[in-house]
Amino acid sequence: MTLPLPSTIVFVCKPIVSNTNFELSVMDTNDPLDFEVEDDLLKCPPINNIIKRKKIIGLDDLLKDHYIEQGKLLEKRKKQKKKAKKIESSYDDEDSKEARLTRIVEKCHNQLTAFGEEQEISPWGVKVFGDKKAFPSLESPDVGSCNLFQSFLNNCLNSVVELTADKGDIFLEGLLVNGWLSKLAFLCGHVEKPVAVWAFKTMLYSSKEELHNSSSEFWCAILSSEKEVDQALVKIDWFPEYMDLRRALDSYGFLFKFSSSAEPNNLDSDIEGPPQNIRAWIRFVSACCLIRSKKAIFSTVEAEEIVEIIICLFLDRQFQGLLVLLNDCMEVIVNYFTDQEWCSSCENVAKFIACRVSKDLNCIRTIECISEASSRCKQLRSAVAYQTLLSCFDGVYSGEEILRSLTEINFKDNSCDFYRMYINLVLTENWVLSNSLIEDNPVIYEMFSLYLRHCSTLISATNLRSYASKVRHRASYLLHFSIYK
C-alpha cells in the first residue's frame, strides 16, 4: 500500500558531485525553484532582515561634544565683545574730535571777542506805508451833460442796446476795459470833464484790478498822444492837480513824515501795505512828467516832493517787484525840471533825504536806487551822498574837511568801527566818482586816492573784525579800477 505525499513537500532531484545518482531532497515551498534562481528576471530582491544596530555613544563622547559647543559659544561671545569695543572706540573717537572742534571754536570766538564784540547789522528796509484810510466812494459820472453818452442815447441802435442814463457807469466801464474809450477820445479829439473825473477816480480808488489798470492805460494813452505827430491833440476839459495825487497817497497810508531810524522789527509788522492802485499812481505820474513841454502839471516844489516820494518807495521792501517801474519814474521826474530849476532842486532833495534816512545800510540803499543812466541822475546820486556825509561828521562843512577826517582815522585802534567805515567809503565813492565836476578838482581826487590807499594797505588781512575785509577789498578795487584806470 502506497502512502500519499503531503502537498507541502516537493521532491527535487539534485545532482551530487561525488555520486552520479540523483537524490531526493525535501525543500520548503517558500524557497525559489531552480529555474527561478537561474533566471535574473525572476529573482526577488533579498529581504534584509538584519536590523541595524544603533551606535552606542559613551559618556566621554557626550562630554566632549558639550565642551566643543561651549568653546564655540565662548568664541562667538568674544567676537561680539571685540566688535562692540570697536564701535565704542569709534564713538569715543568721534566724541573726542567733536570736543576738540568745540575747543577750537571757543578759542576762535574768544579771540574775536578780544578784538571787539560783533555788531548786529540790521538789514535795509523801511516801512513807508501805515494803515490805509477809507477810500472815497466812486460816484456815477454825470452823463446828463456828457455829449458822448448823449450821442449813444440818441442813436437809432439804442433800441437794441437799451442804454439808459442810470446805466452810464456800466456803459463806460465796458468801453474802458475794451479799449474803446481811448479810441473814441482820439476820434473826437476831446475828453469831457465827467469822463475824465470818473476815469481818474477809477484809476486811483477802484478795487477791481481790471478797472484801475484800464484807467491807467487810458490816461497814459491820452497824455502820450500829445507827443505823437500823426495824431490829433486831445483836448481834456478837466485835469487832476498834484493835491489829488497826494490825497490818494494819504489814503493808501503813505507816511509823509516817516523815519528810517525806526526799529528793524517794524519790517515784519502785520501792516498790509499799499493797494494795487499804487502801480497806476506811478504810471500816471510818469506820464504827466513826459508832457512838460505841453503842460506843466507840477510846480517845482511839487516835483521835488515826488522825487523824494519815489526814493522813499525804493526803501520799502514791498516794492522789490516794481523796481523797473520806479526806475523809469525816477528818470522822467528828474528830467521834468528845467536847467535853471535843477541845480537848486537837486540840492533840496539831497538835503531832505540826508535828514530823513538813517546812517546805516538804508543810506547806501538810497544811493544805489538812483541810477546812473543820465547826467542828472548821477548828479543827484553824488549830491545825496555828499549831504549824507556832511550829516555824519560834526563841524564839517566842505568836501576837503570830510576827506581829511577820513584819512586821519586810526585803523589799528580796537575802537575803530569798520561798519561805519564801510558806509563812509561807499558814500565817498559815490560822491566823488558820480560827480563830473570833481574831476576838475585835483585836490579832492588826490585826497580820495590817499584815503583809498590807507584803507587797502593799513588794514591787515588777518583783521577779523566785522566789515574790515569789505573795506579793504572795496578800497583796493576802487584804487586799481576806478582811480588808475
Side-chain angles (χ1 to χ4, degrees):
M1 179 174 181
T2 311
L3 294 172
L5 296 175
S7 60
T8 58
I9 299 175
V10 179
F11 295 91
V12 180
C13 295
K14 290 184 179 181
I16 300 175
V17 179
S18 59
N19 192 359
T20 59
N21 297 328
F22 290 92
E23 292 182 350
L24 292 176
S25 64
V26 181
M27 63 179 297
D28 191 0
T29 56
N30 293 325
D31 294 337
L33 302 175
D34 292 340
F35 66 88
E36 292 178 341
V37 175
E38 296 175 0
D39 194 348
D40 294 334
L41 295 177
L42 298 178
K43 286 183 179 180
C44 296
I47 299 175
N48 188 10
N49 294 325
I50 302 174
I51 300 174
K52 294 182 177 180
R53 297 176 59 190
K54 294 182 179 180
K55 183 179 180 181
I56 299 175
I57 301 176
L59 183 59
D60 295 338
D61 296 333
L62 291 174
L63 289 174
K64 183 179 180 181
D65 295 339
H66 174 71
Y67 291 143
I68 291 175
E69 292 297 329
Q70 290 294 326
K72 292 180 180 179
L73 184 60
L74 291 175
E75 187 68 24
K76 185 178 181 180
R77 290 178 179 175
K78 288 181 180 180
K79 291 181 179 180
Q80 290 177 351
K81 288 182 179 180
K82 289 182 180 180
K83 186 176 181 181
K85 288 183 179 180
K86 289 182 179 180
I87 295 175
E88 185 177 357
S89 61
S90 63
Y91 286 155
D92 294 338
D93 293 340
E94 292 179 0
D95 293 340
S96 61
K97 291 179 181 178
E98 184 177 354
R100 195 180 306 114
L101 180 61
T102 303
R103 289 193 297 270
I104 294 174
V105 172
E106 290 178 353
K107 182 179 179 181
C108 293
H109 179 71
N110 294 332
Q111 291 177 351
L112 290 174
T113 305
F115 288 117
E117 291 295 333
E118 188 78 10
Q119 295 182 359
E120 183 177 355
I121 308 300
S122 59
W124 68 266
V126 181
K127 282 285 186 181
V128 298
F129 282 88
D131 297 326
K132 291 186 293 185
K133 299 180 180 179
F135 285 3
S137 59
L138 295 176
E139 300 177 356
S140 300
D142 184 12
V143 295
S145 60
C146 181
N147 295 327
L148 176 65
F149 189 78
Q150 292 297 327
S151 64
F152 280 98
L153 286 177
N154 299 330
N155 195 286
C156 60
L157 296 177
N158 189 34
S159 59
V160 180
V161 182
E162 297 181 353
L163 180 63
T164 58
D166 58 345
K167 296 180 180 179
D169 54 346
I170 300 176
F171 176 69
L172 289 178
E173 286 180 4
L175 293 178
L176 181 65
V177 172
N178 294 319
W180 281 101
L181 191 60
S182 58
K183 293 180 181 179
L184 291 173
F186 290 141
L187 290 175
C188 301
H190 185 205
V191 176
E192 299 175 84
K193 181 179 179 179
V195 176
V197 173
W198 174 83
F200 179 76
K201 291 185 176 180
T202 302
M203 175 184 67
L204 295 181
Y205 301 114
S206 176
S207 59
K208 299 179 181 179
E209 184 177 358
E210 188 178 27
L211 281 180
H212 63 70
N213 285 339
S214 300
S215 300
S216 174
E217 294 174 0
F218 167 77
W219 274 107
C220 291
I222 296 300
L223 295 177
S224 62
S225 66
E226 295 186 347
K227 297 183 63 177
E228 300 295 336
V229 179
D230 57 344
Q231 291 182 354
L233 297 178
V234 178
K235 179 184 177 182
I236 304 175
D237 289 347
W238 177 87
F239 210 92
E241 298 178 353
Y242 174 70
M243 289 306 300
D244 298 319
L245 293 170
R246 202 177 191 276
R247 194 177 300 112
L249 271 186
D250 186 57
S251 300
Y252 298 161
F254 182 78
L255 304 175
F256 288 94
K257 296 182 179 180
F258 85 97
S259 177
S260 66
S261 59
E263 293 297 327
N265 54 11
N266 287 342
L267 298 177
D268 301 326
S269 61
D270 297 331
I271 298 178
E272 183 180 355
Q276 293 296 322
N277 304 70
I278 191 66
R279 299 171 180 262
W281 190 94
I282 298 173
R283 293 194 191 100
F284 181 80
V285 170
S286 301
C288 292
C289 295
L290 291 173
I291 62 170
R292 171 67 189 263
S293 59
K294 301 292 182 180
K295 181 178 177 62
I297 302 172
F298 309 126
S299 65
T300 303
V301 177
E302 292 171 349
E304 290 175 3
E305 188 175 25
I306 292 177
V307 176
E308 297 164 1
I309 291 173
I310 296 301
I311 294 177
C312 293
L313 295 182
F314 273 107
L315 294 178
D316 197 326
R317 286 183 174 271
Q318 297 180 96
F319 287 83
Q320 290 297 290
L322 302 180
L323 292 182
V324 176
L325 192 62
L326 291 174
N327 278 321
D328 294 341
C329 187
M330 174 66 74
E331 291 183 14
V332 296
I333 190 62
V334 297
N335 291 322
Y336 178 83
F337 302 90
T338 61
D339 293 338
Q340 293 78 14
E341 298 170 344
W342 174 243
C343 291
S344 60
S345 295
C346 179
E347 186 178 357
N348 292 336
V349 172
K351 289 181 178 179
F352 172 85
I353 297 299
C355 295
R356 192 65 69 89
V357 180
S358 58
K359 308 307 179 288
D360 49 18
L361 294 182
N362 284 314
C363 67
I364 295 181
R365 173 63 180 173
T366 303
I367 300 298
E368 294 176 346
C369 74
I370 305 174
S371 67
E372 298 180 293
S374 63
S375 58
R376 286 193 176 184
C377 288
K378 288 183 177 180
Q379 185 178 354
L380 178 61
R381 187 176 180 130
S382 175
V384 173
Y386 176 71
Q387 293 296 332
T388 306
L389 281 171
L390 286 178
S391 62
C392 291
F393 297 93
D394 296 331
V396 174
Y397 304 100
S398 65
E400 290 84 353
E401 293 178 357
I402 292 175
L403 290 172
R404 190 176 297 110
S405 301
L406 292 174
T407 53
E408 291 176 354
I409 295 177
N410 184 8
F411 297 100
K412 297 182 179 180
D413 189 0
N414 290 335
S415 62
C416 181
D417 189 352
F418 285 99
Y419 172 64
R420 185 66 56 188
M421 281 296 305
Y422 179 78
I423 294 176
N424 293 335
L425 176 60
V426 175
L427 293 175
T428 309
E429 167 197 346
N430 285 276
W431 161 50
V432 175
L433 300 182
S434 297
N435 193 344
S436 58
L437 299 178
I438 295 182
E439 295 180 358
D440 301 330
N441 191 336
V443 177
I444 296 294
Y445 235 74
E446 184 60 32
M447 294 180 69
F448 180 58
S449 300
L450 177 62
Y451 170 59
L452 293 179
R453 286 195 293 271
H454 285 183
C455 293
S456 60
T457 58
L458 298 182
I459 302 177
S460 174
T462 59
N463 195 328
L464 302 178
R465 280 180 285 179
S466 178
Y467 276 82
S469 61
K470 289 187 177 182
V471 173
R472 184 180 68 256
H473 294 159
R474 193 178 189 97
S476 300
Y477 175 83
L478 293 174
L479 191 63
H480 290 87
F481 296 98
S482 296
I483 303 300
Y484 297 144
K485 63 180 179 179

